[in-house]
Amino acid sequence: PNELNANEKAAVRDIITDEPKAVQGSRQFHPEDTIIRTKHSVIGGDNFALMAGPCSVESQEHVLKMAAVAKASGATVLRGGAFKPRTSPYSFQGLGEDGLKFLRKAADEYNMDVLTEVMDDEHVKMVAKYTDIFQIGARNMQNFSLLKAVGKTNIPVMLKRGMSATVDDILNASEYIAAGGNHNIMITERGIRTFDNKYTRNTMDVGVVPVLQKLTHYPVIIDPSHAAGHTEFVTPLALAGTAAGASGLVVEIHDDPAHAFSDGAQALKPNEYKKMAEKALAIRDLMTGMDNQQAEAGR
Amino acid sequence: PNELNANEKAAVRDIITDEPKAVQGSRQFHPEDTIIRTKHSVIGGDNFALMAGPCSVESQEHVLKMAAVAKASGATVLRGGAFKPRTSPYSFQGLGEDGLKFLRKAADEYNMDVLTEVMDDEHVKMVAKYTDIFQIGARNMQNFSLLKAVGKTNIPVMLKRGMSATVDDILNASEYIAAGGNHNIMITERGIRTFDNKYTRNTMDVGVVPVLQKLTHYPVIIDPSHAAGHTEFVTPLALAGTAAGASGLVVEIHDDPAHAFSDGAQALKPNEYKKMAEKALAIRDLMTGMDNQQAEAGR
Amino acid sequence: PNELNANEKAAVRDIITDEPKAVQGSRQFHPEDTIIRTKHSVIGGDNFALMAGPCSVESQEHVLKMAAVAKASGATVLRGGAFKPRTSPYSFQGLGEDGLKFLRKAADEYNMDVLTEVMDDEHVKMVAKYTDIFQIGARNMQNFSLLKAVGKTNIPVMLKRGMSATVDDILNASEYIAAGGNHNIMITERGIRTFDNKYTRNTMDVGVVPVLQKLTHYPVIIDPSHAAGHTEFVTPLALAGTAAGASGLVVEIHDDPAHAFSDGAQALKPNEYKKMAEKALAIRDLMTGMDNQQAEAGR
Amino acid sequence: PNELNANEKAAVRDIITDEPKAVQGSRQFHPEDTIIRTKHSVIGGDNFALMAGPCSVESQEHVLKMAAVAKASGATVLRGGAFKPRTSPYSFQGLGEDGLKFLRKAADEYNMDVLTEVMDDEHVKMVAKYTDIFQIGARNMQNFSLLKAVGKTNIPVMLKRGMSATVDDILNASEYIAAGGNHNIMITERGIRTFDNKYTRNTMDVGVVPVLQKLTHYPVIIDPSHAAGHTEFVTPLALAGTAAGASGLVVEIHDDPAHAFSDGAQALKPNEYKKMAEKALAIRDLMTGMDNQQAEAGR
């Protein structure tokens, strides 16, 4: 009596498996790598992009300083939050539009692109005036109204994986953007929620890099800062993501982490960032060289 | 050299543990149960509320029929989606404002309250014209702009737990609503994401009922439909939640699940709902009776 | 070049999905409920079994006292650990064979069955001299040597779900016992590991009760103590499991939890256990009565 | 009335947090890296070890062939299973002692060390006759009897992380070995269980490499094969682990994966293994070189 008929079974299957229907994002639909070109950066394909900056924009002076640090180590994208999605309403919520102005000015000063989070569809137009790349944060990965809104712009979008988003969920979320006509999408792994977060804030799912690269043509970026949650684990995670083949790294930096407005404990200091960037670039070069060599030898 | 100073350690602790800062939602701040009174329902405290309806509003005729079914089994709240947060952009997205009109009319016809999801802050005012209770869906639990927007209204809010939201995350999210002045909040467990979803869509965390009741004064509701994902497991989960002490149940029903516009496989048919409601009410009565008895005996 | 052939694809599927091959445990193979009959208990089918006792056997005197408490509230099985699988090697490891003697004597004194954990295949014969039911602990759920060893005896086995065991894993583990010829198996849910264990030790997956009951004929038991990890949440979890249809409850009790040798914080005190048992039995009776009524009405 | 006293609170804390009590394994107790020296390998410290072989020993001829392949790419340890912990009792369970003989002969032929799993304490003595390193599998990570048994030998132990073992659980499990006097322990990450296993068999927790290296002096090894579950993702995971600083890699290889007795879909073919090994060694060299350089520069 409790048995399902064929239609019901199909419906169950559909509900439970949530098959990805991300047509436009799939390799079958578009086999070549998507390459995103901003004024100062090329993201995807054989390129490797460094993106760095403070978690929160704190002041004009500070973000200028951080831009100098980032640029000096090879970063072409300046990240910084002006609208902060904080777990608690009583935490610092960001400088708002002022922060965007400071960020824009700092990026321009150092010939960098701006990457900043947009948290709601009402703000898309305003943030668009200042940014070169929209960030959709992990908590908003399935905020479909917001995805649709940025999908209607022609500004590249960095879509961060939700804390418990499956690979299919990510692809479907990206399809909300693509369905609006915007195909300049990059997907960022920033750690997922698992049963152990005593020593790291999240668990970085480095395997998602080759998995996504197989399924989709969008560039895959690693955010080791939120995965680690703790300065001393950021560099190993950054290098792991690089060795796994990621197209870039987005990293939080701060010259005085103990007094950062947010997430100080996971920020790399300038000299730590420099060392990390050198190593990441060296691994990337090594891998590219060996791929070419092994391909040669295979002929 | 890699050692943290005291400030850094405190920051790490803060980042990793995300202590709840949900002051207004806590029992310390407000020891008595919050009791939410709508036109036709009393939710919280010693009361037990039944809420039911179709996943999607499909037509005026259909939602009227479902309202009749729900009401006949004791439900006082009619749920139904007009804006649907679907994983894929190519799935049915809801009837929009027309759906809200159908829902309102059906609820009025049967002297019931309307419960419906609002998906973005732009729609809050419009949805407010039709609903008695806002639903914030699991995917939007940390859409802070939306939380702030409903926090500025005086309409009760049902906040659904995110798929990987911790107890602290839920409390902090509810605080975004409370911080705006709206304290008519209920929290709904609808299953979390774990390592096993082969047979049930999610894992219902029934333990969160007594945990939340200890920490917060807001009513805790169980949604067994999304937890189960499959009709035959909905009733056991509903009864489990009731026995654990939940203040109510929100359940998806459909007279023809195989042709439902969405989530058909987890909808209870009218006679299944009737049986479930009878049992849930009986368990609730039994528990209340025994609590009183045991309290008497304890004097 | 990286494409898999058909055989490889089948192998991948097999590895990743781990389909249950638990033939003898399946409902298809054996549609009727397995009913386990020990000297003092009947477990499975329409029966409901209460099992209780201290986490560790502490002394002859103490376990006698606990047996009296358990029996007085309707328990027919006395649980108690003599070999303890402690996370740390420096924690109390149990009284060993002496503990088993104390436990046996206490059970006999009160006409109860003994349930106790066996931790390695070498001990199976020795423990068999004292126990009526073997417990296989969560950490040993996939200790296949141990499963095979108890499978060769004719003593009933309580198999506890591993902390991250899927439903298929449980069924396959039980098949290791059944394959040896021992079909007197009960499966116990004791909470799984998820992303949130701040307030409860584990997450009780109450949905596994109806899921297992659909797939297998073995009785399903709830252990609310390990799921909760904290006295005040044990009773709601026990009642939730009962309302979901479990065939019994195994609960840790202690008269002086603060001085228990192990797991004191999750032990119910005698009067707490009495109240819990009364409520669980009342819910079970209510459910059985209503099932019969609803079945009558359905004719 | 439900309030806990101080002792009870401490007990709760203890139960819920399971603080690691792994004294002998901690850096505080023993600050220098443990370096394990077998006949043909040096594991830990500045060394990097390659270990490879078939999942199951299939025949004398086949394991000889695989030893040749492994050795040719720089592996000094030959892995192979003779006792297989299979999820289902009806799957191939290994060749037993015959398999150990084949494995020993193959390793000797190519001047390699043997690494093989021991599944129960009864077999420890027998397996010890053939192996240079014991493997404790993920499912037995908390089989404390087995841990104690290998702890009483002087043969190095590779302890694989359980599917849902926390960092503290791993450390405590290793302490069961150390408490017996055996300090030649290496810890292996082989992927954990999370909410998404559609494309990879497990989620490789690469962050555990630097975390464990901070907490314990034991070498940390990466097993990318079980994490990936699929050939095409093995190499990226191996390289990620290497870049994160692991002390070695243990990888499954097979010349004809489609006909492997077990786990064929995750085995690298000889040429794939060769490329992987070259890249891993190159990354390791690069990292060591840059560490030295950056340290020089820092003086």
Side-chain angles (χ1 to χ4, degrees):
Chain A
N2 242 337
E3 288 306 304
L4 301 184
N5 63 33
N7 278 346
E8 288 170 326
K9 278 180 188 159
V12 171
R13 191 182 187 83
D14 192 46
I15 286 180
I16 291 189
T17 62
D18 279 336
E19 288 296 335
K21 286 157 193 152
V23 179
Q24 298 185 52
S26 75
R27 283 274 182 199
Q28 284 99 310
F29 188 80
H30 184 287
E32 305 79 28
D33 288 346
T34 283
I35 297 183
I36 299 172
R37 294 171 198 281
T38 55
K39 200 164 173 195
H40 305 288
S41 314
V42 189
I43 303 167
D46 292 336
N47 309 285
F48 188 71
L50 291 176
M51 320 183 193
C55 177
S56 294
V57 178
E58 303 185 358
S59 69
Q60 183 64 77
E61 188 193 357
H62 186 258
V63 72
L64 276 163
K65 202 169 167 187
M66 292 303 96
V69 166
K71 185 60 183 277
S73 295
T76 58
V77 177
L78 180 64
R79 63 143 291 153
F83 295 92
K84 302 299 304 170
R86 305 304 298 279
T87 305
S88 161
Y90 310 128
S91 300
F92 172 63
Q93 308 273 318
L95 295 181
E97 192 164 358
D98 280 348
L100 294 177
K101 288 176 185 169
F102 299 155
L103 188 64
R104 179 73 266 166
K105 189 175 157 73
D108 288 344
E109 184 85 13
Y110 291 93
N111 294 314
M112 299 177 79
D113 297 308
V114 163
L115 162 67
T116 199
E117 179 160 357
V118 58
M119 280 178 61
D120 46 78
D121 38 327
E122 288 182 78
H123 283 165
V124 167
K125 274 189 192 155
M126 189 267 280
V127 176
K129 290 194 287 176
Y130 302 98
T131 201
D132 300 298
I133 308 172
F134 284 125
Q135 178 181 304
I136 304 291
R139 290 177 183 78
N140 276 320
M141 195 199 86
Q142 292 189 314
N143 179 340
F144 300 125
S145 305
L146 179 57
L147 297 176
K148 287 177 183 173
V150 296
K152 285 178 203 143
T153 74
N154 59 1
I155 295 176
V157 180
M158 170 182 278
L159 178 64
K160 298 188 95 172
R161 180 185 192 176
M163 290 186 206
S164 65
T166 63
V167 168
D168 289 357
D169 287 342
I170 305 169
L171 295 177
N172 281 319
S174 74
E175 194 76 0
Y176 268 92
I177 303 169
N182 187 348
H183 299 91
N184 283 322
I185 300 168
M186 59 195 105
I187 297 173
T188 297
E189 163 68 21
R190 42 77 75 206
I192 56 172
R193 226 167 216 180
T194 67
F195 56 83
D196 196 4
N197 64 349
K198 181 165 171 182
Y199 301 102
T200 55
R201 188 177 184 180
N202 293 288
T203 299
M204 193 173 94
D205 178 11
V206 71
V208 87
V209 176
V211 168
L212 282 172
Q213 285 173 339
K214 179 184 174 166
L215 299 172
T216 182
H217 46 87
Y218 300 132
V220 183
I221 307 296
I222 286 289
D223 167 358
S225 308
H226 286 84
H230 195 309
T231 305
E232 67 191 306
F233 304 132
V234 172
T235 295
L237 290 184
L239 302 182
T242 304
S247 292
L249 298 172
V250 54
V251 175
E252 292 185 352
I253 59 176
H254 204 283
D255 54 330
D256 184 12
H259 297 96
F261 285 17
S262 57
D263 280 2
Q266 70 193 30
L268 290 188
K269 293 181 188 167
N271 70 321
E272 294 168 334
Y273 182 64
K274 185 165 173 288
K275 287 182 187 175
M276 186 226 79
E278 282 173 8
K279 285 182 172 171
L281 291 168
I283 287 180
R284 178 70 179 195
D285 281 350
L286 177 71
M287 290 299 95
T288 308
M290 292 189 78
D291 280 341
N292 292 342
Q293 242 178 347
Q294 292 180 345
E296 287 280 329
R299 273 184 213 164
Chain B
N2 241 337
E3 288 306 304
L4 301 184
N5 64 33
N7 278 346
E8 290 170 325
K9 278 182 188 156
V12 172
R13 191 182 187 83
D14 192 45
I15 286 180
I16 292 188
T17 62
D18 279 337
E19 288 296 333
K21 286 157 192 152
V23 179
Q24 298 184 52
S26 75
R27 284 274 183 199
Q28 284 98 312
F29 188 81
H30 184 287
E32 305 78 29
D33 290 346
T34 283
I35 297 182
I36 299 173
R37 296 171 197 282
T38 55
K39 202 166 172 192
H40 304 288
S41 314
V42 189
I43 303 167
D46 292 336
N47 309 285
F48 189 70
L50 290 176
M51 320 184 193
C55 177
S56 294
V57 178
E58 302 184 359
S59 69
Q60 182 63 76
E61 187 193 359
H62 185 259
V63 72
L64 276 163
K65 203 168 168 187
M66 292 303 97
V69 166
K71 185 60 183 275
S73 294
T76 58
V77 177
L78 180 65
R79 62 144 290 152
F83 296 92
K84 302 299 304 171
R86 305 304 298 277
T87 305
S88 162
Y90 309 128
S91 301
F92 172 63
Q93 308 273 320
L95 295 181
E97 191 164 358
D98 280 348
L100 294 178
K101 289 177 185 167
F102 299 156
L103 188 64
R104 179 74 266 165
K105 188 175 156 75
D108 288 344
E109 184 85 13
Y110 290 94
N111 294 315
M112 299 177 80
D113 296 307
V114 162
L115 162 67
T116 199
E117 179 161 356
V118 59
M119 280 179 62
D120 46 76
D121 37 328
E122 289 182 77
H123 283 166
V124 167
K125 275 189 194 158
M126 189 266 280
V127 176
K129 290 194 287 178
Y130 302 98
T131 200
D132 300 297
I133 308 173
F134 284 126
Q135 179 181 304
I136 304 292
R139 291 177 183 78
N140 277 321
M141 194 198 84
Q142 292 188 314
N143 179 340
F144 300 124
S145 304
L146 179 57
L147 297 177
K148 286 177 183 172
V150 298
K152 285 177 202 142
T153 74
N154 60 1
I155 295 177
V157 180
M158 170 182 279
L159 178 65
K160 297 188 93 171
R161 181 185 190 177
M163 290 187 205
S164 64
T166 61
V167 168
D168 289 357
D169 287 342
I170 305 169
L171 296 177
N172 281 319
S174 74
E175 194 76 359
Y176 268 91
I177 303 169
N182 186 349
H183 299 91
N184 282 322
I185 300 168
M186 59 194 105
I187 297 172
T188 297
E189 163 67 22
R190 43 76 76 206
I192 56 172
R193 226 168 215 179
T194 67
F195 56 83
D196 197 3
N197 64 350
K198 182 166 172 182
Y199 301 102
T200 54
R201 189 178 184 181
N202 293 288
T203 299
M204 193 173 93
D205 178 11
V206 71
V208 87
V209 175
V211 168
L212 282 172
Q213 285 173 338
K214 179 185 174 164
L215 299 172
T216 182
H217 46 86
Y218 300 132
V220 183
I221 307 296
I222 286 288
D223 167 358
S225 308
H226 287 84
H230 195 309
T231 305
E232 67 192 306
F233 304 132
V234 171
T235 296
L237 291 183
L239 302 182
T242 305
S247 292
L249 298 172
V250 54
V251 175
E252 292 185 353
I253 59 175
H254 205 284
D255 53 331
D256 183 11
H259 297 96
F261 285 16
S262 58
D263 280 2
Q266 70 194 31
L268 290 188
K269 291 181 189 167
N271 70 320
E272 293 167 334
Y273 182 64
K274 185 167 174 286
K275 287 181 187 174
M276 186 226 78
E278 282 173 8
K279 284 182 173 172
L281 291 168
I283 287 179
R284 177 72 179 193
D285 281 350
L286 177 71
M287 290 299 96
T288 309
M290 292 188 78
D291 279 342
N292 293 343
Q293 242 177 348
Q294 293 180 345
E296 287 279 330
R299 273 183 213 167
Chain C
N2 241 338
E3 287 307 302
L4 301 183
N5 63 34
N7 278 346
E8 290 170 325
K9 278 181 188 157
V12 172
R13 192 184 186 79
D14 192 46
I15 286 179
I16 291 188
T17 61
D18 279 337
E19 288 297 334
K21 287 158 191 149
V23 179
Q24 298 185 52
S26 76
R27 283 272 183 200
Q28 285 98 313
F29 188 82
H30 184 287
E32 305 79 28
D33 288 346
T34 283
I35 297 182
I36 299 172
R37 294 171 198 283
T38 55
K39 201 165 173 195
H40 305 288
S41 313
V42 189
I43 304 167
D46 291 336
N47 309 284
F48 189 71
L50 290 177
M51 319 184 193
C55 177
S56 295
V57 178
E58 302 185 359
S59 69
Q60 183 64 75
E61 188 194 357
H62 186 258
V63 72
L64 277 163
K65 204 167 166 186
M66 291 303 96
V69 166
K71 185 61 184 277
S73 295
T76 59
V77 177
L78 179 65
R79 62 144 291 154
F83 296 92
K84 301 300 304 171
R86 306 302 298 278
T87 305
S88 161
Y90 310 128
S91 300
F92 172 62
Q93 308 272 318
L95 295 180
E97 191 165 357
D98 280 349
L100 294 177
K101 288 177 186 169
F102 299 155
L103 188 63
R104 179 74 265 167
K105 189 175 155 74
D108 287 344
E109 184 84 13
Y110 290 93
N111 294 314
M112 299 176 80
D113 297 307
V114 163
L115 162 66
T116 198
E117 178 160 358
V118 57
M119 280 179 60
D120 46 77
D121 37 328
E122 288 181 78
H123 283 165
V124 167
K125 275 190 192 156
M126 189 266 281
V127 176
K129 289 194 287 177
Y130 303 96
T131 200
D132 301 297
I133 307 173
F134 284 125
Q135 178 182 304
I136 304 291
R139 290 177 183 79
N140 277 319
M141 194 199 86
Q142 291 188 314
N143 178 340
F144 300 125
S145 306
L146 180 57
L147 297 177
K148 286 177 183 172
V150 298
K152 285 178 201 141
T153 73
N154 60 3
I155 295 176
V157 179
M158 169 182 279
L159 178 65
K160 298 187 93 172
R161 181 185 192 176
M163 290 186 206
S164 65
T166 62
V167 168
D168 289 357
D169 287 342
I170 305 169
L171 295 177
N172 281 319
S174 74
E175 195 76 0
Y176 268 91
I177 303 169
N182 187 349
H183 299 91
N184 283 322
I185 300 168
M186 59 195 105
I187 297 172
T188 297
E189 164 67 22
R190 42 76 75 206
I192 57 172
R193 226 167 216 179
T194 67
F195 57 83
D196 196 3
N197 64 350
K198 182 166 172 182
Y199 301 102
T200 55
R201 189 178 183 180
N202 292 288
T203 299
M204 194 173 93
D205 178 10
V206 71
V208 87
V209 175
V211 168
L212 282 172
Q213 286 173 338
K214 178 184 175 166
L215 298 172
T216 182
H217 45 86
Y218 300 132
V220 184
I221 307 296
I222 287 288
D223 167 358
S225 307
H226 287 85
H230 196 310
T231 305
E232 67 192 305
F233 304 132
V234 172
T235 294
L237 290 184
L239 302 182
T242 304
S247 292
L249 299 172
V250 53
V251 175
E252 292 184 352
I253 59 176
H254 204 285
D255 53 330
D256 183 12
H259 297 96
F261 286 16
S262 57
D263 280 2
Q266 70 194 31
L268 291 187
K269 292 181 189 168
N271 70 320
E272 293 168 334
Y273 181 65
K274 186 167 173 287
K275 287 182 187 174
M276 186 226 79
E278 283 173 8
K279 284 183 173 171
L281 291 168
I283 287 179
R284 177 72 180 195
D285 282 350
L286 177 71
M287 290 299 95
T288 309
M290 291 188 78
D291 280 341
N292 293 343
Q293 241 176 348
Q294 291 180 344
E296 286 280 329
R299 273 185 213 161
Chain D
N2 243 337
E3 288 306 304
L4 301 183
N5 64 33
N7 278 345
E8 289 170 325
K9 277 180 190 160
V12 171
R13 192 182 186 82
D14 192 46
I15 286 180
I16 292 189
T17 62
D18 278 337
E19 288 296 333
K21 287 159 191 149
V23 179
Q24 298 185 52
S26 76
R27 284 273 182 200
Q28 285 98 311
F29 188 82
H30 184 287
E32 307 78 29
D33 289 347
T34 283
I35 297 182
I36 299 173
R37 294 171 198 280
T38 55
K39 202 166 173 193
H40 304 288
S41 313
V42 189
I43 303 166
D46 291 337
N47 310 283
F48 188 71
L50 290 176
M51 320 184 192
C55 178
S56 293
V57 178
E58 302 185 359
S59 69
Q60 182 64 75
E61 189 193 357
H62 185 258
V63 72
L64 276 162
K65 204 168 167 187
M66 291 304 97
V69 166
K71 185 61 183 275
S73 294
T76 58
V77 176
L78 179 65
R79 61 143 292 153
F83 295 93
K84 302 298 305 170
R86 305 303 298 279
T87 305
S88 161
Y90 309 127
S91 301
F92 172 63
Q93 308 273 317
L95 295 181
E97 192 165 358
D98 280 349
L100 294 178
K101 288 176 185 168
F102 298 156
L103 188 64
R104 180 73 266 167
K105 189 176 156 75
D108 287 344
E109 185 85 13
Y110 290 93
N111 294 316
M112 299 177 80
D113 297 309
V114 163
L115 162 66
T116 199
E117 178 160 357
V118 58
M119 281 179 60
D120 45 77
D121 38 328
E122 288 182 78
H123 283 166
V124 167
K125 275 189 191 156
M126 190 267 280
V127 176
K129 289 195 288 177
Y130 302 98
T131 201
D132 300 298
I133 307 173
F134 284 125
Q135 178 182 304
I136 304 291
R139 291 178 182 79
N140 277 320
M141 194 199 85
Q142 292 188 314
N143 179 339
F144 300 124
S145 305
L146 179 57
L147 298 176
K148 286 176 183 172
V150 298
K152 285 178 200 141
T153 74
N154 59 3
I155 296 177
V157 180
M158 170 182 278
L159 178 65
K160 298 188 94 173
R161 181 185 191 177
M163 290 186 206
S164 65
T166 63
V167 168
D168 289 357
D169 287 342
I170 305 169
L171 295 177
N172 281 319
S174 74
E175 194 76 0
Y176 268 92
I177 303 169
N182 187 348
H183 299 92
N184 283 321
I185 300 168
M186 59 195 104
I187 297 173
T188 297
E189 164 67 23
R190 43 76 75 206
I192 55 171
R193 224 165 218 181
T194 66
F195 56 83
D196 196 4
N197 63 350
K198 181 166 173 183
Y199 301 102
T200 54
R201 188 178 184 180
N202 292 288
T203 299
M204 193 172 93
D205 178 10
V206 72
V208 87
V209 175
V211 168
L212 282 172
Q213 286 173 339
K214 180 186 173 164
L215 298 172
T216 181
H217 46 86
Y218 300 133
V220 183
I221 308 295
I222 286 288
D223 167 358
S225 308
H226 287 84
H230 196 308
T231 305
E232 67 192 305
F233 304 131
V234 172
T235 295
L237 290 184
L239 302 182
T242 304
S247 292
L249 298 172
V250 54
V251 175
E252 293 184 351
I253 58 176
H254 204 283
D255 53 330
D256 184 11
H259 297 96
F261 285 17
S262 57
D263 279 2
Q266 71 193 31
L268 289 188
K269 291 180 190 169
N271 71 321
E272 293 168 334
Y273 182 65
K274 186 166 173 288
K275 287 183 188 175
M276 185 226 80
E278 282 173 8
K279 285 183 173 171
L281 291 168
I283 287 179
R284 178 70 180 194
D285 281 350
L286 177 71
M287 289 299 96
T288 308
M290 292 189 77
D291 280 341
N292 292 342
Q293 243 177 347
Q294 292 180 345
E296 287 280 329
R299 275 185 212 165

